[in-house]
Amino acid sequence: LTRLSAALAELTPSAPGLVRAIKVEYKVVANTTDQFRDGKFGMNELEGLSGEKPHPMLKGKRIPRYLFQPNATKEAFANLYRNMIADAPLPYAEMKRIDVETALGLKASRAEMLLRPNAVGRILYALLVPAMDNLLERRCRADCGIAATRLLVACHQYRNTKGAFPDTLESLVPTHLPAIPKIGRAHV
């Protein structure tokens, strides 16, 4: 138990890995945005990404500037990813959550959305942001698993030294744990 406890204590926080993943994700998004800008992707590819059929007048054509503003799209993603990087060291429950549909006006009708500037950029944003939410949730599950394992090991160490499991988690500090692992808004 002592070796296991020491090994668990040496596990590095997942924040640096999460930051690297966010940076890579931004590069993918920026590259996709550039491909739309350069005409390598068009309305037909957007149909494949979104599952929505483009207006017949736009089918097979390059995306009009009004509907797609690549710099504004990349700026929106950059701001999102900067906020996520700033939140990376925080517990999942303390991270800022973004309601993408409200932020981008995606709750409007399809016709209203297409009338707004940068509609294609908004669609790309809406399609790609949920993948980042899944990444954050997986990171949270991994952190919770490590914290729970540390607590279990500390409880068994306590039982081995005192003859019974602790009545409270605070009894584990500082002998078996430096602090109670923090998960979410409150301690476990």
Side-chain angles (χ1 to χ4, degrees):
L1 287 177
T2 303
R3 287 194 321 250
L4 178 58
S5 180
L8 288 170
E10 289 180 16
L11 286 177
T12 59
S14 59
L18 179 60
V19 168
R20 282 191 301 277
I22 292 168
K23 289 178 178 180
V24 167
E25 185 66 26
Y26 176 76
K27 288 178 183 179
V28 169
V29 166
N31 185 41
T32 302
T33 302
D34 290 341
Q35 288 179 332
F36 271 99
R37 179 200 63 213
D38 297 341
K40 293 177 183 171
F41 288 154
M43 295 305 281
N44 293 334
E45 287 78 15
L46 184 61
E47 177 183 350
L49 284 174
S50 69
E52 297 281 330
K53 297 206 180 285
H55 191 278
M57 290 176 51
L58 298 173
K59 190 128 174 112
K61 295 185 178 180
R62 192 171 181 159
I63 301 169
R65 283 188 164 269
Y66 178 78
L67 291 179
F68 182 55
Q69 299 165 356
N71 290 339
T73 301
K74 289 197 306 192
E75 181 181 6
F77 276 109
N79 289 335
L80 169 71
Y81 292 141
R82 276 188 208 107
N83 289 336
M84 292 175 81
I85 287 170
D87 283 355
L90 298 175
Y92 181 74
E94 293 177 15
M95 292 180 175
K96 296 174 195 85
R97 309 296 294 174
I98 296 173
D99 180 5
V100 175
E101 289 187 3
T102 301
L104 298 177
L106 298 176
K107 293 183 180 177
S109 72
R110 189 170 167 209
E112 287 176 311
M113 192 166 143
L114 284 177
L115 292 175
R116 291 185 171 160
N118 201 24
V120 172
R122 293 171 192 272
I123 292 169
L124 284 173
Y125 192 91
L127 291 171
L128 298 172
V129 167
M132 292 308 297
D133 273 346
N134 291 337
L135 178 65
L136 295 176
E137 288 175 24
R138 285 193 307 269
R139 178 249 170 149
C140 178
R141 279 190 222 109
D143 288 349
C144 287
I146 292 169
T149 304
R150 289 185 74 202
L151 282 171
L152 285 171
V153 169
C155 286
H156 282 278
Q157 285 178 312
Y158 184 94
R159 185 192 66 185
N160 287 347
T161 58
K162 305 279 186 183
F165 284 109
D167 292 328
T168 65
L169 295 178
E170 286 78 14
S171 303
L172 300 172
V173 178
T175 309
H176 301 287
L177 287 173
I180 298 170
K182 187 176 179 184
I183 302 173
R185 293 187 195 279
H187 294 293
V188 175

